[in-house]
Amino acid sequence: MNTTQTEALISMVAVLGLFVLMVAPAVIGILRDRRLDRQIRRAAAAPVTGPSDQSAASGPARGTAPRRPARAA
């Protein structure tokens, strides 16, 4: 292998490396969008269920501190 062939090989590898660096973010974005679309379709197809007991749903969440009103100045 002579110098010209070595330089051509190095240039080709450099161009391929730059191509991968330029294309990789686009491919990652496409894959992410497809995953989000799949999650949205799955969530839209899931049945929506509400709480069975309305009195429990209107109260504060379990384990939270009670809210106190602010003092008047």
Side-chain angles (χ1 to χ4, degrees):
M1 190 183 264
N2 60 18
T3 310
T4 306
Q5 291 173 333
T6 306
E7 287 177 1
L9 181 64
I10 291 171
S11 299
M12 196 168 25
V13 169
V15 168
L16 287 173
L18 289 173
F19 178 74
V20 168
L21 286 175
M22 298 291 283
V23 171
V27 171
I28 291 170
I30 290 168
L31 293 175
R32 182 172 178 246
D33 284 345
R34 290 184 68 185
R35 179 178 53 101
L36 289 174
D37 289 342
R38 197 168 42 244
Q39 289 176 347
I40 290 171
R41 279 195 306 268
R42 197 176 300 148
V48 178
T49 59
S52 59
D53 186 15
Q54 292 296 332
S55 63
S58 63
R62 194 172 220 186
T64 59
R67 300 184 92 192
R68 288 185 251 154
R71 287 191 207 170

